[in-house]
Amino acid sequence: MSELSFKAAELDAGDQLAEVRSRFVLDTVSDHAADAAGVYLDGNSLGALPAAVPGRVEDVVRRQWGELRIRSWDESGWWTAPERIGDRIAPLVGAAAGQIVVGDSTSVNVFKALVGAVRLVEERGGDGRDEILVDATTFPTDGYIAESAARLTGHTLRAVTPGEVPAALSDRTAAVLLNHVDYRTGRLHDLPGLTSAVHAAGAVAVWDLCHSAGALPVGLDEHGVDLAVGCTYKYLNGGPGSPAYLYVRGDLQDRFDSPLPGWNSHAEPFGMRPAYTPAEGVRRGRVGTPDILSMLALEAALDVWDGVSVAAVRAKSLALTDFFLECVEAYVPEGRVESLTPVRHEERGSQIALRCSDAGDVMRLLIERGVVGDFRRPDVLRFGFTPLYVGFADVERAARVLGDVLASR
């Protein structure tokens, strides 16, 4: 056993979150070659299946839908699920109850939040604020939505990197859309500082939390974030295509004017009135009929967080990524990869991105040997570290197999 293998065993022995791993459905040694026993490092794209979900979904399908049918809207709590599940997510992103509603996709919620941000500025008399700033390094859909929102609201869109935002802000700025963690590199951006700068300029801050919620502290309330969105199928393990969420700060809710006013966000949804009157509170962030099957699967998935603190998750995340970089340095031939992820903890999310000239082929070979990460064109290997189910032996094994694959090429 190598020195790093011994170190991994010691770190696993002291892991306070080790027992949480049993709450997930994961590969066993027999599923893959013993040397790479099912190391799953792609939770930043799709989280692993929580063990409680299949049984809960079966109950939803067979009993709630199959037997109770329409009665489940009331008797099984279907109607209140978007807010109830939002309150389950709230402590994971540092928000008080009553400020998060679950439903729709991240893209739809980005549209609601960004247009809603512009309307908040207009409502308070923001004449002359005709520009939207968007993160130039953003996940593509945020850029597409921002461009459409700018056209629809008659605003100019300007793409800048997060580091350029403070200098780019002006009395023309209405809203700023930023990613908390860069999806390619894993860089963690300064949410408190950038939110403060946006507010000082008189603009509204909208944050995309897809790559941070469930991996590190966010502090939405603490830092005065106006609006935020996020997906639930990455570090929250809600399942493929599980519904996203929208955060509207409590003191802004009575002024939040959604560009998608659906019957579910009406003050009297069953009144079937021709004129729209928005519901009170965060409910006005709803649109149409909730996607109950995937929403209740998400609710079951969130049970894995019982008794788990985000602070403990963050501490383990940093320890895992530190150890992975140490193992990569030891096992990977010199000069074969370059880390794109910042070394400083305050600038690092919960993934490591390595630049590698033949990254696509390398990732294919890693997956064949049971180490699952992902590849981003043209030359990036991404490894996501979900502290709820990734251990230090997994990390050592993944880096060792990566070294073997690169040495053989």
Side-chain angles (χ1 to χ4, degrees):
M1 184 178 285
S2 70
E3 180 179 343
L4 287 173
S5 295
F6 276 115
K7 182 174 181 178
E10 291 177 351
L11 290 169
D12 279 330
D15 179 12
Q16 297 180 349
L17 296 178
E19 65 85 17
V20 182
R21 184 184 179 104
S22 66
R23 303 179 192 179
F24 291 87
V25 176
L26 297 167
D27 295 344
T28 63
V29 173
S30 61
D31 294 323
H32 297 284
D35 189 50
V39 182
Y40 188 67
L41 300 180
D42 207 7
N44 52 323
S45 287
L46 176 65
L49 172 66
V53 170
R56 196 80 60 86
V57 170
E58 182 177 13
D59 177 71
V60 173
V61 172
R62 293 188 180 278
R63 184 182 65 84
Q64 297 181 30
W65 179 16
E67 297 175 16
L68 296 179
R69 291 179 285 275
I70 197 71
R71 292 160 52 196
S72 278
W73 284 106
D74 293 320
E75 295 181 26
S76 300
W78 288 1
W79 184 257
T80 57
E83 294 78 39
R84 181 178 72 245
I85 301 171
D87 286 347
R88 295 282 302 277
I89 293 172
L92 304 181
V93 292
Q99 299 178 104
I100 292 179
V101 64
V102 174
D104 306 312
S105 67
T106 304
S107 301
V108 172
N109 282 313
V110 169
F111 179 75
K112 287 187 281 188
L114 194 52
V115 175
V118 170
R119 290 179 175 179
L120 283 170
V121 171
E122 292 173 342
E123 185 267 343
R124 70 188 184 204
D127 293 339
R129 291 190 177 271
D130 60 355
E131 185 174 74
I132 296 171
L133 300 183
V134 64
D135 183 349
T137 62
T138 189
F139 188 78
T141 195
D142 286 20
Y144 306 155
I145 295 293
E147 195 277 332
S148 179
R151 283 191 289 117
L152 288 168
T153 59
H155 283 60
T156 299
L157 183 69
R158 183 151 62 111
V160 296
T161 66
E164 294 169 337
V165 165
L169 292 164
S170 72
D171 56 7
R172 290 185 55 197
T173 309
V176 183
L177 173 61
L178 292 163
N179 284 259
H180 197 191
V181 172
D182 186 293
Y183 80 101
R184 285 191 186 89
T185 67
R187 176 179 291 276
L188 173 65
H189 297 302
D190 181 10
L191 182 146
L194 289 171
T195 300
S196 178
V198 171
H199 288 168
V204 173
V206 180
W207 284 92
D208 182 329
L209 310 177
C210 284
H211 287 84
S212 58
L216 52 90
V218 177
L220 292 178
D221 287 353
E222 177 186 357
H223 303 304
V225 170
D226 303 297
L227 302 162
V229 304
C231 68
T232 61
Y233 48 78
K234 300 182 190 298
Y235 297 108
L236 298 182
N237 311 294
S242 56
Y245 58 89
L246 170 68
Y247 165 88
V248 183
R249 201 177 69 217
D251 63 309
L252 299 178
Q253 290 175 6
D254 63 345
R255 294 185 285 123
F256 179 69
D257 182 6
S258 173
L260 295 174
W263 78 283
N264 251 239
S265 63
H266 196 286
E268 297 181 74
F270 293 98
M272 305 303 168
R273 304 184 185 283
Y276 179 74
T277 302
E280 293 184 357
V282 78
R283 263 187 57 209
R284 63 180 57 194
R286 291 170 68 155
V287 184
T289 305
D291 40 355
I292 291 299
L293 298 183
S294 58
M295 188 169 293
L296 297 188
L298 166 63
E299 185 173 34
L302 292 171
D303 288 350
V304 301
W305 288 92
D306 290 348
V308 175
S309 76
V310 177
V313 168
R314 177 58 169 167
K316 183 177 176 182
S317 165
L318 291 172
L320 287 168
T321 49
D322 278 344
F323 187 54
F324 182 69
L325 290 173
E326 179 184 354
C327 292
V328 167
E329 183 176 2
Y331 292 139
V332 172
E334 186 175 355
R336 281 295 272 122
V337 299
E338 171 195 359
S339 178
L340 302 178
T341 306
V343 173
R344 298 176 61 198
H345 286 179
E346 58 267 34
E347 295 179 350
R348 187 193 305 168
S350 198
Q351 74 178 55
I352 297 295
L354 302 177
R355 176 170 285 145
C356 176
S357 59
D358 45 355
D361 290 336
V362 169
M363 184 54 68
R364 176 179 55 79
L365 293 170
L366 286 174
I367 292 172
E368 288 177 0
R369 294 187 60 177
V371 176
V372 180
D374 68 18
F375 158 61
R376 286 291 178 266
R377 290 181 174 85
D379 57 1
V380 176
L381 300 169
R382 291 196 319 170
F383 301 95
F385 298 83
T386 304
L388 299 184
Y389 54 76
V390 172
F392 292 91
D394 297 324
V395 167
E396 188 273 337
R397 195 176 297 122
R400 179 157 36 88
V401 174
L402 174 63
D404 290 345
V405 167
L406 290 174
S408 69
R409 292 177 62 79

